[in-house]
Amino acid sequence: MKTDDVVKLYDKYVMTTYKRVPLCFDKASGTKVVDIDGNKYLDFFPGWAVSGTGHCHPMVAASVAKQAKKLMHVSNNYYSVEQALLAKAIIDSSFPGKVFFGNSGAEANEAAVKLARKYGHDKGKYEVITMLKSFHGRTLAMITATGQDKVKKGFEPLPEGFKYVPFGDIEALKNAISDKTIGVMLEPVQCEGGINIASKAYMNALRALCDEKGLVLIFDEVQTGMGRAGKMFAYQNYDITPDVMTLAKALGGGLPIGVCVASAKFQDVLAPGTHASTFGGSPIVCAAGLAVFEAIKKEKLLANTNKMGTYLVKRLKELQKKYAFIKEIRAMALIIGVELKINGEEIYKLCMEEGLLINCTQDTVLRIMPPLNVTKLEIDKAIAILDKVFKKVKS
Ligand SMILES: *Cc1c(COP(=O)(O)O)cnc(C)c1O
């Protein structure tokens, strides 16, 4: 089959919920992708931040293959070794507490909001405040939690109990709190929202405010977690700890997973029978997650992420000097946004033609998130392609 044939099948049989580009992956390893027509690409946004350890990391692939022959799925009314060990790995690298396993980012956030609501229920509190430009997923509750109108349009009436304030504005948050408010949910770095990074002062004020008002502070680390921020979790670049944290994307190394992590005070709020997920925390997915943790440790990927993040930003700043349409570069380790004064859609497409896969979000922000094991050589290749494309756009 060629890409054209696959596109025809999609046109006939797959719902057109996505604006897809005509590229059909055949195989991939690390940053290297080969499509079914034999074209090669350098992937600097692998799997929409899912393949954080790169495509088909050998340790993840081996762990999944081994587990597939042994035990793939057990119902959650039994126990599994892999789920226990992955829960321990997550808690050991974050804060004391317990985890709930689901299958996606949206599901992890649903669990977090349900936890907050359950916690507030007897006090008559249910409202969760989220941020404008946030992104929390596509279920009905999560499009409501998401602070962007474009994801909600046409799906009204939406569930009650969400309010929005500008990201980074502590006064607005203070003013939005009512006697019904029970929680605040935000991403430490808004990724879909254009790589907007919370300041330390804001995070400190946020923690103090939530403590003062008795609010559950929820961090959505679905995209920022698992090493991409140079620490295992982005919040660890600040001096505070959330009450609840959600993870997904890179945690499964390519397999679907979503986790809600609750700190000790909140770990038993979701009592037996209050929440569930049939596929959640299956042995095969947890075996993948355990291998991701092992790979990050064994290959010292946090150190590499910091080093390569610094290097990539340095190289991007050189391009910024050459091209006046580059407005700003925002980064936390390998979470990188290049804000342009022009629309980035064409740049994204030209990069693809030249063999570099990146992303463009909020129309003007190029999102560059190579895997944690990216090398200097790969960065130099990507920069050369960006330079070539920028030159074309300028002329
Ligand atoms: C991708 C993402 C989600 C949604 O995850 P799904 O697995 O698509 O449900 C939620 N929050 C953030 C920050 C994300 O990046």
Side-chain angles (χ1 to χ4, degrees), residues 48 103-107 109 135-138 187 191-192 220-223 248-249:
W48 206 277
N103 311 286
S104 67
E107 211 187 329
N109 289 335
F135 183 79
H136 298 297
R138 296 286 194 155
E187 305 144 86
C191 292
E192 308 298 322
D220 177 344
E221 292 234 24
V222 165
Q223 192 158 161
K249 293 201 165 85

Side-chain angles (χ1 to χ4, degrees), residues 40 78 83 127 130 157 169 191 225-226 229 233 277 318 385 394:
K40 289 182 180 147
Y78 300 115
Q83 186 177 125
E127 204 172 72
T130 64
D169 185 341
C191 292
M226 298 312 292
F233 306 109
S277 178
E318 289 166 20
I385 294 174
K394 197 176 129 191

